Amino acid sequence: MKHIILAIAAAIICTSCSVMCCTKSSLKGSVWTCQYGMFVADAGTETVDVTLTFPSAKKFELLFDHNMPPYPAMYMNADGSVDTMPGYSFQYTMKGTYTYKKGILVLTPEEGEPIKAEMVAGKLHSSDIPMADHCIFEKK
C-alpha cells in the first residue's frame, strides 16, 4: 500500500514538473519596455526608451525614443555667460520577424544583424540592442 501511494505521489510530481517545463510563452500581442542612459560628452546623459512589441505571432517592432535635455554650451560668451543648447528628441523603428524557442528570443530585423535575448525570471535580457551595453525588458 505504501509503495502504491509513493508511486502515485512520484507520478503526480513528475507530471506537474514536466507540464511547467513545457509551457510555451506566447509573445504575440505583448509589449516590453527598457530604458537606458547614454553619456554624451560635454552635454550630459541622453535617455533612450526602447519599446518592443509583438503585433503578431511572427513579427516584431522595436521603437527607440531618444531624449536629450537642454545642456550648457561648450563655449563662454565674452561677458562670461554660457548659452544653453536646446535639447532634442528623435525616434526610429526597427521591424522584422522573430523566433522564440526554449527561452531564447531571436529578432531578425529587415536591415541589420539579428538581436538575441534570453528570458530570465520573466524578463528579457539582451546585450545585442544597438548602442546599449545591456538592456532588460519588462513586460507592460
Side-chain angles (χ1 to χ4, degrees):
M1 185 67 171
K2 285 183 184 181
H3 296 291
I4 295 173
I5 293 174
L6 285 173
I8 292 172
I12 291 172
I13 290 171
C14 289
T15 304
S16 64
C17 289
S18 64
V19 168
M20 287 175 28
C21 292
C22 293
T23 57
K24 186 175 180 182
S25 175
S26 175
L27 296 173
K28 180 182 173 185
S30 65
V31 178
W32 300 72
T33 59
C34 170
Q35 184 182 69
Y36 64 91
M38 188 167 51
F39 178 72
V40 180
D42 299 321
T45 301
E46 178 179 344
T47 303
V48 183
D49 294 307
V50 185
T51 304
L52 175 59
T53 57
F54 299 96
S56 73
K58 295 290 180 191
K59 302 227 182 247
F60 79 89
E61 292 181 8
L62 195 57
L63 172 69
F64 294 86
D65 186 10
H66 293 253
N67 291 294
M68 181 68 174
Y71 55 95
M74 293 176 38
Y75 57 86
M76 186 180 294
N77 297 320
D79 63 359
S81 64
V82 176
D83 294 334
T84 299
M85 304 304 289
Y88 60 84
S89 65
F90 66 93
Q91 294 181 340
Y92 68 94
T93 303
M94 293 174 78
K95 293 182 179 185
T97 59
Y98 73 92
T99 58
Y100 182 76
K101 191 173 188 180
K102 296 184 181 180
I104 303 295
L105 172 68
V106 179
L107 305 174
T108 306
E110 294 168 351
E111 296 179 11
E113 298 295 316
I115 298 168
K116 292 183 182 176
E118 182 179 6
M119 183 73 75
V120 178
K123 296 178 183 180
L124 287 170
H125 292 251
S126 179
S127 296
D128 293 345
I129 300 297
M131 301 172 65
D133 288 332
H134 190 77
C135 210
I136 300 173
F137 289 91
E138 294 188 22
K139 192 172 183 179
K140 271 184 146 179

